[in-house]
């Protein structure tokens, strides 16, 4: 396919932010974010719409900035400069969400990397995303060859820089962008679980008598991975509680998560430290922590014997990705008649079939499956956790590295019982997409202590296993440099949906929910509007 060539000089690979950004808003309809600059553009491009979007093709202009790939339809209305900007438009994808860039030519397909040499003019640009989306753009025959080549290279080099720091990351692009992100108000309707008062509010909501909020870990001296405030039996004093931390891996003692309306409590804890001698008083303290608020027998469920390991999940997820995305290098796909059997062989569906386990959930490090099972129990049994505010509070409290599996399990429940959820699948997809953006405090650390000490002066890298991690420069951080640099404003939480999406997109996150019947009628979180009272 021959396209019209247009002489574009090499220096135009990074377009002038002061010139093009102002013009692009008027000429092409792209509204740049504070501190954002356009790196490259291509005109007369068509985007392939998914079945969810209505199918077909949409004509417009393709942009690449140092934060996102943005597609602006040619018939889109002119943006309102007085309205608050959103991070991602309806046809945008964040660079951090891209996993592979593929150029398709007349007779070949090429995986484009920062070091690639492209010896043909792409007719099609395919973006493979971390959330299993495949986004396809088709260059028109009138699209200048230089634009098709340059924007393909620009996307490949920007989402995966040649060297750390060679391309400015979005969050370090400009002070005005940082200020824009920090000047946001928190949602007052959800529980953030960051203070003792918020933890006590959850105890009151669940009617959990016999428990209290302890601040013994306020300085993270007892356990670096647990939050500042933990719910423990009311009968256990802090002096007794301090002696129990050393008997559990990483100091993750048994602590309260949730109470069922019928009175059963759900706990989480790590495995015992077997190499520590247990004195008589220590044994008594352990019994108090485990049984201090229980009037019945406490059952400890060892999740290591019941559920797959993180390594098993990683293998299953890799097979699922290969099935859904195919072999990018050879464009080999699984035949339709073998797709379901191949899906079953990945074992991902086996791991997403959650079970109902209660009372004390024990795991070696209490960081993966304990969080998953605890969260699923609360989603299945507590109607509040199926509302948007309740679900966001649950994630704020229980989030862990196996987050994608948790969201898939919730989606399986939602697909079977959609009327029991205020949430929709649009909300679950948006939440997973947000985990790949290094812009929100919710997903930038493993625990509350790391979030408290983290600094935005560090660059970050992303891996599917560990998520976003700070990269410490060689030689570490000197005290002189850290003290001389100004403190960056805090990043917003992921729950500020108005920052990320338009009002129309956010309106799709929830649906009307039937009124919850009186508590005696609630069985397993049933939200039916016509409960059988006699039964």
């Amino acid at each position: 396919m021959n396209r019209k060539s247009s002489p574009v000089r090499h220096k135009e690979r990074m377009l002038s932010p002061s010139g093009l950004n102002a013009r692009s808003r008027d000429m092409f309809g792209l509204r740049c974010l504070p501190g954002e600059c356009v790196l490259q553009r291509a005109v007369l491009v068509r985007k392939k719409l998914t079945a969810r979007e209505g199918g077909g093709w949409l004509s417009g202009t393709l942009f690449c900035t140092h934060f996102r790939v943005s597609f602006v339809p040619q018939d889109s209305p002119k943006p309102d400069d007085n309205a608050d900007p959103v991070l991602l438009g309806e046809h945008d994808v964040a660079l951090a969400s891209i996993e592979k860039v593929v150029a398709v030519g007349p007779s070949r397909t090429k995986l484009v990397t920062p070091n690639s040499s492209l010896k043909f003019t792409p007719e099609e640009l395919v973006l493979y995303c971390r959330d299993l989306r495949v986004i396809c753009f088709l260059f028109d025959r009138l699209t200048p060859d230089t634009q098709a080549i340059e924007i393909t290279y620009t996307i490949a080099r920007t989402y995966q820089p040649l060297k750390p720091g060679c391309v400015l990351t979005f969050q370090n692009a400009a002070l005005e962008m940082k200020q824009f992100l920090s000047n946001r108000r928190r949602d007052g309707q959800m529980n953030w679980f960051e203070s003792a008062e918020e933890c006590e509010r959850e105890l009151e909501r669940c009617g959990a008598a016999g428990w209290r909020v302890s601040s013994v870990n306020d300085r993270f001296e007892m356990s670096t991975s647990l939050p500042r405030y933990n719910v423990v039996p009311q009968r256990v004093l802090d002096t007794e509680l301090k002696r129990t931390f050393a008997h559990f891996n990483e100091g993750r003692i048994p602590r309260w998560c949730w109470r069922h309306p019928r009175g059963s409590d759900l706990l989480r804890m790590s495995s015992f430290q077997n190499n520590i001698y247990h004195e008589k008083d220590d044994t008594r303290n352990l019994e108090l922590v485990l049984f201090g608020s229980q009037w019945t027998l406490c059952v400890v469920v060892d999740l290591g014997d019941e559920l797959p390991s993180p390594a098993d999940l990683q293998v299953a997820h890799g097979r699922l990705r290969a099935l859904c995305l195919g072999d990018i290098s050879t464009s080999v796909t699984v035949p339709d008649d073998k797709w379901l059997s191949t899906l079953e062989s990945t074992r991902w569906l086996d791991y997403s079939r959650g079970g109902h386990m209660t009372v004390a959930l024990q795991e070696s490090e209490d960081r993966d499956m304990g969080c998953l099972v605890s969260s699923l129990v609360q989603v299945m049994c507590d109607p509040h956790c199926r509302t948007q505010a309740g679900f966001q509070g649950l994630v704020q409290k229980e989030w862990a590295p196996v987050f994608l599996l948790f969201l898939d399990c919730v989606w399986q429940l939602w697909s079977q019982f959609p009327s029991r959820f205020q949430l929709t699948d649009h909300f679950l997809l948006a939440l997973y997409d947000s985990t790949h953006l290094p812009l929100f405090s919710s997903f930038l650390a493993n625990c509350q202590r790391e979030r408290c000490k983290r600094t935005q002066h560090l660059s970050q890298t992303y891996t599917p296993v560990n998520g976003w991690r700070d990269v410490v420069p060689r030689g570490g951080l000197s005290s002189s440099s850290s003290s001389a640099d100004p403190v960056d404003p805090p990043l917003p939480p992921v729950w500020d949906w108005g920052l990320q999406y338009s009002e129309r997109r956010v309106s799709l996150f929830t649906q009307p929910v039937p009124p919850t019947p009186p508590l005696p009628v609630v069985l397993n979180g049933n939200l039916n509007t016509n409960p059988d009272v006699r039964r």
Side-chain angles (χ1 to χ4, degrees), residues 17 175 227 268 324 418 464 477 524:
L175 179 60
R268 281 179 58 191
C324 294
L477 291 173
N524 293 327

Side-chain angles (χ1 to χ4, degrees), residues 500-518:
Q500 298 189 61
Y501 301 104
S502 64
E503 291 184 5
R504 189 192 71 82
R505 291 280 298 276
V506 175
S507 67
L508 300 176
F509 289 178
T510 58
Q511 62 183 0
V513 178
T516 305

Side-chain angles (χ1 to χ4, degrees), residues 326-508:
D327 189 335
I328 297 175
S329 60
T330 60
S331 300
V332 174
T333 58
V334 177
D336 290 344
D337 58 344
K338 296 183 179 179
W339 200 90
L340 290 177
S341 60
T342 307
L343 174 63
E344 185 70 19
S345 67
T346 66
R347 301 205 64 189
W348 179 261
L349 294 182
D350 291 339
Y351 300 151
S352 64
R353 292 168 184 146
H356 190 130
M357 302 181 184
T358 58
V359 188
L361 305 176
Q362 185 179 46
E363 188 183 13
S364 176
E365 297 182 357
D366 185 32
R367 303 294 287 270
D368 299 304
M369 304 309 293
C371 162
L372 173 68
V373 174
S374 171
S375 300
L376 288 177
V377 168
Q378 294 173 67
V379 169
M380 289 188 287
C381 299
D382 191 342
H384 174 70
C385 293
R386 298 194 292 274
T387 65
Q388 181 173 350
F391 188 87
Q392 291 177 171
L394 176 65
V395 174
Q396 190 76 16
K397 177 181 66 170
E398 300 276 5
W399 182 81
V402 290
F403 191 54
L404 173 59
L405 181 60
F406 168 62
L407 291 183
D408 195 359
C409 293
V410 174
W411 183 87
Q412 302 286 350
L413 294 171
W414 175 87
S415 62
Q416 297 178 67
F417 310 102
S419 63
R420 313 287 177 87
F421 285 80
Q422 183 195 44
L423 307 174
T424 65
D425 55 341
H426 291 274
F427 174 86
L428 298 176
L429 288 171
L431 181 55
Y432 180 57
D433 288 342
S434 302
T435 62
H436 301 298
L437 299 181
L439 304 175
F440 307 109
S441 57
S442 309
F443 296 123
L444 281 182
N446 277 330
C447 59
Q448 188 179 22
R449 176 176 175 269
E450 290 183 10
R451 283 191 289 272
C452 290
K453 74 173 186 175
R454 100 170 257 286
T455 168
Q456 295 184 45
H457 296 299
L458 300 179
S459 60
Q460 297 189 335
T461 59
Y462 178 88
T463 60
V465 178
N466 299 318
W468 286 98
R469 292 294 183 269
D470 291 331
V471 179
V472 180
R474 250 179 226 181
L477 291 173
S478 63
S479 58
S480 60
S481 63
S482 60
S483 61
D485 294 333
V487 177
D488 288 334
L491 293 176
V494 70
W495 316 118
D496 190 354
W497 296 116
L499 174 63
Q500 298 189 61
Y501 301 104
S502 64
E503 291 184 5
R504 189 192 71 82
R505 291 280 298 276
V506 175
S507 67
L508 300 176

Side-chain angles (χ1 to χ4, degrees), residues 213-233:
V213 179
S214 171
S215 60
V216 70
N217 197 43
D218 180 50
R219 300 174 60 88
F220 306 108
E221 294 176 342
M222 300 292 102
S223 174
T224 58
S225 62
L226 284 183
R228 282 194 169 107
Y229 306 103
N230 296 275
V231 178
V232 298

Side-chain angles (χ1 to χ4, degrees), residues 8-210:
V8 178
R9 290 176 293 180
H10 178 76
K11 66 179 181 180
E12 291 182 350
R13 289 183 180 178
M14 178 173 288
L15 302 172
S16 168
S18 61
L20 180 68
N21 279 2
R23 295 195 303 270
S24 64
R25 297 186 187 185
D26 298 332
M27 295 175 59
F28 304 108
L30 176 65
R31 184 183 183 189
C32 291
L33 301 166
E36 184 183 23
C37 64
V38 175
L39 303 179
Q40 194 56 250
R41 79 177 191 273
V43 298
L44 302 175
V45 178
R46 287 185 292 168
K47 178 190 176 185
K48 184 177 183 180
L49 301 179
T50 63
R52 190 187 188 94
E53 297 172 320
W57 296 85
L58 191 63
S59 299
T61 304
L62 185 64
F63 295 89
C64 177
T65 74
H66 56 281
F67 165 62
R68 57 179 168 161
V69 174
S70 179
F71 179 79
V72 179
Q74 63 182 14
D75 56 350
S76 61
K78 184 178 179 179
D80 183 4
D81 289 337
N82 295 322
D84 291 336
V86 294
L87 294 178
L88 296 172
E90 185 174 356
H91 301 286
D92 295 354
V93 57
L95 290 173
S97 298
I98 298 176
E99 186 171 34
K100 295 182 185 296
V101 177
V102 175
V104 180
S107 59
R108 60 179 301 190
T109 298
K110 174 137 181 106
L111 178 65
V112 184
T113 66
N115 298 313
S116 295
S117 59
L118 200 59
K119 298 181 179 179
F120 62 91
T121 301
E123 296 180 352
E124 194 173 337
L125 173 64
V126 184
L127 304 180
Y128 290 82
C129 302
R130 301 182 190 277
D131 59 1
L132 303 185
R133 283 184 299 167
V134 180
I135 304 175
C136 179
F137 299 100
L138 183 67
F139 297 112
D140 190 85
R141 61 184 183 84
L142 297 178
T143 304
D145 290 354
T146 50
Q147 291 188 9
I149 295 173
E150 289 299 332
I151 199 167
T152 302
Y153 269 132
T154 301
I155 295 174
R157 289 169 179 166
T158 310
Y159 97 94
Q160 185 178 340
L162 287 167
K163 298 178 182 179
C166 71
V167 176
L168 290 176
T169 60
F170 175 65
Q171 70 181 65
N172 294 323
L175 179 60
E176 59 176 316
M177 186 64 234
K178 297 176 184 178
Q179 294 293 345
F180 168 69
L181 288 174
S182 65
N183 294 333
R184 308 292 298 185
R185 292 184 179 181
R186 282 193 167 191
D187 184 357
Q189 297 183 351
M190 65 170 284
N191 196 332
W192 297 88
F193 294 97
E194 293 180 349
S195 67
E197 292 75 15
E198 289 173 324
C199 296
E200 290 170 354
R201 191 194 313 165
E202 179 70 1
L203 284 174
E204 182 179 357
R205 185 188 72 83
C206 294

